[in-house]
Amino acid sequence: MSGWESYYKNEDDEEEEQEENLEGGGEYTYSGRDSLIFLVDASSAMFKSQDEDELTPFDMSIQCIKSVYTNKIISSDHDLLAVVFYGTKKDKNSVNFKNIYVLQELDNPGAKRVRELDQFKGQQGQKHFQDLIGGGCDYSLSEVLWVCANLFSDVQFKMSHKRIMLFTNEDDPHGDDSAKASRARTKAGDLRDTGIFLDLMHLKKRGGFDVSLFYRDIISMAEDEDLGIHFEESSKLEDLLKKVLAKETKKRVLSRLKLKLNKDIALTVGIYNMVQKAFRPPPIRLYRETNEPVKTKTRTFSVNTGSLLLPSDTKRSQIYGNRQIVLEKEETEQLRRFDDPGLILIGFKPLIMLKKHHFLRPSLFVYPEEALVNGSSTLFNALLTKCLEKEVVAVCRYTPRQNIPPRFVALMPQEEELDDQKFQVSPPGFQLVFLPYADDKRKVPVTEKVTANPEQVDKMKAIVQKLRFKYKSDSFENPVLQQHFRNLEALALDLMEPEAAVDLTLPKVEAMDKRLGCLVDEFKELVYPPDYNPEGKVPKRKQDDEGSRTKKPKVELSEEELKAHVSKGTLGKLTVPMLKEACKVYGLKGGLKKQELLDTLTRHFQD
């Protein structure tokens, strides 16, 4: 028998729920917390703007960090963030190094932390920073990195990613001190060896920012070179936000699987989730007296005796043909286990055979994992290049985990795309598109087609041409989610009223009317009758006296037909009105739901 401890953990239920979510395209979960330290240069050059209208590099950094904080509160409030200033007059750190000020240690983002950052924004904020902390002093970057390493080591949680983002506009901080520069390079290498990645958010300076002078040996360029991302210096807040978003976004792998090309050739790939639906988080239940979160525990009791049951005391069953099929836990696991996790190549098909109506759920992204099997990147790139040249998709059998049924998928090749700033818009790899089974397709009854005349078609073409626009999903936010989180933000930050969210999904009626002109009226004249009113109620058709008196004929089934349906287990194919009529004929009380009617008729004819 199982112990009580395992029973209260409900591990089986959690595992099943996670597998059902993964199979049904639900939310993907990751182990560990993402940790990020914002390292901000407080030297004198950071507080000077090149033009009067431009923001200072320090102000850009503070606004960018605040934006990440507010986004983290909405998207992943379990992640850990910290803010460290270096080159300051005052110092505050665990190892008492000079000119290094830890404003916030690694912890969850919250309203108090956002307010603390907000006080350093703008001209008044910079003045407040100089009065409170001060800047423009000498520093040692190796000591700064040492403090950051200590912040990571003080965290008690399991961390999946450890990153440092360095904001500066000084391209050679130790140009006159080779010893300090050497120590900084050594310390940066030590951080890289322990899994801490340093990213440079370099800001605009007079004469340009030269990465090769110092930071090329400091920052973690290997990862960026692998992904093909190269940035120029940022002179605007929008560019800096775009750069930080690309670096801050978690590049977490869902799973690492083998892609088998045949029995003898296989490579290792990583599966990444590119699109995940954003949900409004559910409210947390609190105990009324202490406001502490409450936990829910599920217990199973026997209907007959009322005694508490253990997992070993229960079984599972399925109804098939009016027969209860009882299964043990081991049998249930065997039924769910089809194949080992992985991707198995079946063949290739032309790209044009992949139809849009085959869409089942958002696609995943496939990228090689060189660390597990040497040569995976070379073989992967060769496969990608040939698929792009021949315009074909690779059809595979995909089993993401051990207890999840396999799916047919199409690996659609994707070329690397860069924008004007050499920022990667789309990486090279394969989009893993889920293909429907024959059971997933439905036959929809097609109504009689009403054909339009050529004049009507030409007029609608003109309307469509006038209303064309460039669509990007990144430009449209969910207005319900945005307003919800802004309301929460206002409550958390003690604001007088929440900032109104702009609903970008609403059509721009005035601009559309101006573009279309008289085309809509001309189209209405061609298609609709003269008295057509789109906002008016549709008049009900008057039935003649004979039609109003006649009722829909009842479908009657003989006793033999009903018995045959019961014995074959096909009684459920009958409609609810037919089942109700059968219960009425035999004087049975079947209830309102279909299942109640089926149970009543089944019991009647089996007895």
Side-chain angles (χ1 to χ4, degrees):
M1 284 181 71
S2 302
W4 292 104
E5 185 181 357
S6 63
Y7 172 70
Y8 284 118
K9 286 183 180 177
N10 294 330
E11 292 177 350
D12 294 339
D13 296 338
E14 289 177 3
E15 185 179 351
E16 277 187 22
E17 185 179 351
Q18 187 176 2
E19 287 172 0
E20 287 173 5
N21 283 341
L22 188 59
E23 182 183 351
E27 184 178 356
Y28 295 95
T29 56
Y30 302 89
S31 61
R33 302 191 183 192
D34 195 43
S35 53
L36 176 61
I37 296 176
F38 294 103
L39 193 57
V40 183
D41 186 2
S43 59
S44 303
M46 287 286 287
F47 296 90
K48 298 174 183 178
S49 58
Q50 296 189 17
D51 297 321
E52 293 183 1
D53 298 335
E54 285 187 359
L55 296 172
T56 62
F58 182 83
D59 197 13
M60 284 173 57
S61 304
I62 293 297
Q63 290 194 40
C64 186
I65 295 169
K66 183 191 170 186
S67 175
V68 174
Y69 263 71
T70 53
N71 289 336
K72 284 281 188 183
I73 291 174
I74 294 173
S75 60
S76 49
D77 59 345
H78 290 293
D79 291 344
L80 307 175
L81 302 176
V83 178
V84 178
F85 297 110
Y86 66 94
T88 58
K89 290 180 180 178
K90 295 183 179 180
D91 48 81
K92 178 187 170 186
N93 55 80
S94 60
V95 285
N96 297 321
F97 284 142
K98 297 293 183 183
N99 311 121
I100 303 170
Y101 194 94
V102 179
L103 180 70
Q104 297 172 357
E105 295 189 358
L106 279 167
D107 204 349
N108 306 123
K112 183 180 178 182
R113 291 180 148 224
V114 175
R115 284 198 297 268
E116 192 175 14
L117 285 170
D118 204 40
Q119 65 181 347
F120 299 134
K121 195 172 70 172
Q123 291 294 330
Q124 288 295 113
Q126 293 181 37
K127 186 176 183 303
H128 178 66
F129 178 85
Q130 294 293 348
D131 296 338
L132 184 67
I133 302 174
C137 296
D138 193 23
Y139 58 88
S140 170
L141 198 58
S142 63
E143 294 178 352
V144 175
L145 298 178
W146 190 300
V147 170
C148 293
N150 283 356
L151 289 177
F152 284 120
S153 62
D154 292 340
V155 176
Q156 302 298 321
F157 303 106
K158 179 185 176 183
M159 291 178 286
S160 59
H161 283 67
K162 292 184 281 188
R163 287 182 174 276
I164 301 171
M165 282 192 183
L166 195 154
F167 294 82
T168 184
N169 65 346
E170 177 56 61
D171 54 4
D172 194 9
H174 299 318
D176 54 350
D177 194 334
S178 59
K180 281 187 177 181
S182 177
R183 287 197 298 269
R185 290 187 179 95
T186 304
K187 188 60 185 176
D190 294 341
L191 293 182
R192 199 179 302 115
D193 294 339
T194 57
I196 300 173
F197 291 92
L198 178 64
D199 294 319
L200 178 65
M201 302 292 119
H202 47 299
L203 304 163
K204 191 173 182 181
K205 63 169 291 186
R206 295 186 184 277
F209 195 105
D210 189 357
V211 180
S212 63
L213 290 177
F214 177 75
Y215 282 105
R216 177 169 290 173
D217 303 327
I218 297 293
I219 60 177
S220 307
M221 287 292 290
E223 185 178 352
D224 284 352
E225 287 173 358
D226 183 46
L227 295 173
I229 300 177
H230 302 280
F231 291 106
E232 298 178 0
E233 60 188 22
S234 301
S235 58
K236 296 180 180 178
L237 179 61
E238 293 79 11
D239 297 337
L240 184 61
L241 283 169
K242 188 177 180 182
K243 183 192 298 186
V244 170
L245 179 64
K247 291 283 187 179
E248 181 269 331
T249 302
K250 305 165 191 169
K251 302 175 181 67
R252 293 179 174 178
V253 64
L254 279 177
S255 57
R256 293 178 176 87
L257 303 172
K258 281 190 176 181
L259 171 55
K260 297 179 181 177
L261 304 184
N262 59 26
K263 291 182 179 180
D264 303 320
I265 302 176
L267 63 148
T268 309
V269 295
I271 309 295
Y272 294 84
N273 184 27
M274 307 292 282
V275 177
Q276 184 164 300
K277 187 176 180 180
F279 292 96
R280 189 165 56 184
I284 301 172
R285 292 180 179 271
L286 303 176
Y287 183 48
R288 182 182 293 274
E289 295 182 3
T290 61
N291 278 350
E292 292 180 352
V294 296
K295 294 182 179 180
T296 304
K297 289 185 177 179
T298 305
R299 300 183 181 185
T300 308
F301 294 90
S302 171
V303 179
N304 299 325
T305 62
S307 59
L308 186 63
L309 300 176
L310 291 172
S312 58
D313 298 329
T314 61
K315 296 180 180 180
R316 306 196 177 187
S317 67
Q318 291 279 339
I319 303 296
Y320 183 79
N322 294 324
R323 185 182 173 188
Q324 190 178 47
I325 311 298
V326 181
L327 299 170
E328 296 288 346
K329 182 183 177 181
E330 293 77 12
E331 294 174 328
T332 308
E333 291 178 353
Q334 288 177 4
L335 286 173
R336 291 190 302 180
R337 189 174 294 119
F338 282 84
D339 200 357
D340 293 330
L343 280 160
I344 302 174
L345 179 65
I346 295 174
F348 297 92
K349 285 288 182 181
L351 188 60
I352 56 172
M353 293 189 69
L354 192 62
K355 306 298 181 184
K356 291 181 179 179
H357 63 266
H358 288 164
F359 175 84
L360 286 176
R361 51 185 271 200
S363 62
L364 301 175
F365 187 71
V366 182
Y367 198 77
E369 287 284 337
E370 185 69 25
L372 297 177
V373 176
N374 290 333
S376 292
S377 297
T378 305
L379 186 55
F380 184 90
N381 290 332
L383 180 64
L384 177 63
T385 303
K386 283 299 177 183
C387 286
L388 286 168
E389 284 179 6
K390 297 183 178 295
E391 296 183 348
V392 294
V393 295
V395 180
C396 298
R397 173 187 166 113
Y398 171 56
T399 308
R401 287 177 59 182
Q402 198 167 24
N403 291 334
I404 292 181
R407 300 287 318 189
F408 276 126
V409 296
L411 300 185
M412 186 173 70
Q414 175 177 288
E415 242 179 326
E416 183 182 24
E417 184 182 352
L418 304 175
D419 64 4
D420 299 335
Q421 280 195 325
K422 303 298 182 182
F423 171 73
Q424 191 182 63
V425 178
S426 58
F430 286 97
Q431 290 287 345
L432 189 147
V433 182
F434 291 87
L435 300 177
Y437 284 123
D439 314 83
D440 300 328
K441 294 188 176 181
R442 301 177 63 186
K443 292 182 179 179
V444 181
V446 182
T447 57
E448 185 180 352
K449 187 177 180 181
V450 180
T451 56
N453 59 50
E455 191 178 0
Q456 293 171 340
V457 172
D458 292 338
K459 192 63 67 178
M460 181 50 71
K461 282 183 179 179
I463 291 174
V464 171
Q465 193 64 33
K466 288 286 185 182
L467 295 181
R468 289 172 68 92
F469 73 102
K470 291 183 179 179
Y471 171 76
K472 287 186 178 180
S473 59
D474 298 343
S475 305
F476 296 90
E477 296 172 333
N478 187 333
V480 177
L481 280 179
Q482 291 300 315
Q483 192 60 56
H484 171 76
F485 285 119
R486 291 188 188 194
N487 292 341
L488 292 180
E489 182 183 0
L491 291 170
L493 301 179
D494 297 329
L495 302 177
M496 294 297 293
E497 59 181 18
E499 182 184 353
V502 181
D503 189 354
L504 299 173
T505 61
L506 291 173
K508 298 178 180 179
V509 180
E510 293 183 2
M512 291 170 66
D513 290 342
K514 188 176 179 181
R515 278 190 182 188
L516 292 173
C518 59
L519 284 174
V520 175
D521 294 329
E522 293 173 1
F523 181 76
K524 284 166 64 176
E525 291 176 4
L526 288 172
V527 177
Y528 299 107
D531 57 346
Y532 171 71
N533 181 15
E535 297 180 359
K537 293 183 179 180
V538 180
K540 294 182 179 179
R541 292 185 178 180
K542 293 182 179 180
Q543 296 180 340
D544 53 7
D545 295 337
E546 185 181 352
S548 62
R549 285 193 298 267
T550 58
K551 292 184 179 180
K552 196 173 182 178
K554 297 177 181 178
V555 180
E556 295 183 358
L557 293 171
S558 65
E559 186 175 352
E560 289 75 13
E561 289 176 320
L562 286 171
K563 286 182 177 180
H565 278 299
V566 171
S567 61
K568 293 178 182 178
T570 57
L571 196 61
K573 292 185 176 181
L574 303 180
T575 61
V576 173
M578 295 171 69
L579 295 172
K580 284 184 177 180
E581 184 62 29
C583 288
K584 189 176 179 181
V585 169
Y586 294 101
L588 305 173
K589 292 182 179 180
L592 299 174
K593 296 182 179 179
K594 185 173 184 178
Q595 188 59 47
E596 294 173 352
L597 297 169
L598 291 172
D599 294 341
T600 303
L601 287 169
T602 302
R603 283 196 298 268
H604 174 74
F605 285 105
Q606 283 182 345
D607 295 342

